[in-house]
Amino acid sequence: MRGRMYGIVAIVLALLVVAMACGGATPTPAPAAPAPTAAPAPQKITLKAAHWLALSHSFHLTVVQFADAVSERTNGRVEIEIFPTGTLLKGREILEGIRKEIVDMAPVASFYDPGDFPFAGDAGMLPFGWDWDAATEIMEANKPIYASELAIHKARILFYTPINTD
């Protein structure tokens, strides 16, 4: 009986081998995992900053420091190109330049466009009889109002700074 059992097992195995060899596609090995590819290099972003003030003005110097800090913190991936002294937009053209997306960053001075900023235009023209810290506190307290006036022009507040024409 034992011999007969071995014979049946041998016949079944032989049939399986024949069926695999003749009866269809050759089994293919599992596909190899794709070779790892390097992640695409992040795209460099260049933003435009414009203002009408002199190169020696504190605002320009602040923008230069800001641009340097952004470049450093993004490992050069984000660059801010600065157009000072009205080379891209004059003072009265800044707001329109923001609206038309000619520039990404610029100082908005309510004295150039008082009708576009009813609250900031009036409050911004008041003679400030306090120090810069107090003025900043007042600006922060009214930030929602300023922000809503700027949003109409597709703009938002990055920071406050005094802008005089000296």
Side-chain angles (χ1 to χ4, degrees), residues 69-90:
V70 167
S71 180
E72 181 181 321
R73 290 180 185 177
T74 62
N75 295 320
R77 219 180 101 237
V78 179
E79 178 183 289
I80 299 174
E81 189 175 1
I82 302 169
F83 295 89
T85 65
T87 55
L88 181 63
L89 297 166
K90 308 290 183 226

Side-chain angles (χ1 to χ4, degrees), residues 83-142:
F83 295 89
T85 65
T87 55
L88 181 63
L89 297 166
K90 308 290 183 226
R92 294 191 187 281
E93 301 167 338
I94 292 285
L95 187 59
E96 189 66 19
I98 291 170
R99 282 189 203 123
K100 291 183 176 180
E101 298 178 14
I102 294 169
V103 65
D104 301 296
M105 291 179 259
V108 174
S110 59
F111 53 80
Y112 280 132
D113 303 287
D116 288 303
F117 302 101
F119 179 79
D122 289 342
M125 299 308 286
L126 293 174
F128 291 109
W130 47 77
D131 61 23
W132 178 241
D133 291 336
T136 301
E137 186 177 325
I138 290 167
M139 290 176 171
E140 281 296 321
N142 292 295

Side-chain angles (χ1 to χ4, degrees), residues 1 3 16 19 22 29 31 34 60 72 84 99 105 126 131 145 155 164:
M1 177 89 159
L16 284 174
C22 301
H60 175 72
E72 181 181 321
R99 282 189 203 123
M105 291 179 259
L126 293 174
D131 61 23
I145 298 169
N164 56 28

